[in-house]
Amino acid sequence: MRAARTLAVTATAFAALGLAAPLATATNGPSNVTVTPLQAERGGDGSNGVTVSPFAVHQGAILTVTVRGCAGGTVTSNAFATTTLSPAVNGVSTATPRIFNNATPGQYNLAVQCNGRTLTQPFRVLAGQGAQGGLGGSMAPSSTEMAIGGSLVAAAALGGGVFIARRRRMTGAGV
């Protein structure tokens, strides 16, 4: 009988967690950023061997530059500090420059210096909205996160109350 009660409490907790999961994924709603076909291109067709991802990047975010057929070199732009390409693995080198926090939003070009030649690729810098990581708890929880937390606490309290009430009945009846 004790195993059945434990199973019931566990099932209730998992059900509460399962019901809260869709709310947790809905926290980040639709974006107000308009994406043009040029931005959807995600950094060109790679015909010159250089691609950027994402094509449209926010201030302070990381841009990934991939270069095919390059054994090393540097990547430069007005939007970020000069970055060194990684050693080639299977003919592909990468660099991950961080866009300046104060970079002016708009269209930029990056230049890859590789094997004595210069390759260029456009990308776009978007205003603000960089990653919210590393804020050390200075951000308040959203209303969705509060609703999920409250429902989980309520489910745990209800499950615990039912468990204790059933336990009292079982021990009171046997004595």
Side-chain angles (χ1 to χ4, degrees):
M1 191 66 161
R2 190 173 292 238
R5 280 188 252 149
T6 305
L7 181 62
V9 170
T10 304
T12 303
F14 278 115
L17 186 62
L19 292 174
L23 288 175
T25 59
T27 299
N28 297 324
S31 173
N32 62 356
V33 176
T34 304
V35 178
T36 65
L38 180 63
Q39 292 170 331
E41 187 179 72
R42 293 190 61 94
D45 60 4
S47 60
N48 66 355
V50 179
T51 56
V52 296
S53 179
F55 174 77
V57 62
H58 291 286
Q59 297 165 324
I62 301 294
L63 180 70
T64 301
V65 180
T66 306
V67 184
R68 297 192 185 288
C70 183
T74 59
V75 181
T76 58
S77 174
N78 293 338
F80 55 81
T82 300
T83 308
T84 304
L85 286 166
S86 67
V89 176
N90 295 328
V92 177
S93 295
T94 59
T96 54
R98 182 178 178 277
I99 305 297
F100 294 134
N101 290 337
N102 60 352
T104 304
Q107 189 79 21
Y108 285 86
N109 284 315
L110 60 83
V112 177
Q113 300 292 329
C114 174
N115 300 334
R117 59 189 176 136
T118 301
L119 307 169
T120 61
Q121 188 64 42
F123 67 98
R124 182 179 306 271
V125 174
L126 303 174
Q129 298 180 355
Q132 294 180 359
L135 295 176
S138 64
M139 297 278 303
S142 70
S143 58
T144 304
E145 293 167 335
M146 290 299 291
I148 291 169
S151 64
L152 289 174
V153 168
L158 180 65
V162 169
F163 178 75
I164 290 172
R166 290 193 67 188
R167 186 170 180 184
R168 281 189 196 158
R169 259 191 268 145
M170 295 298 275
T171 56
V175 176

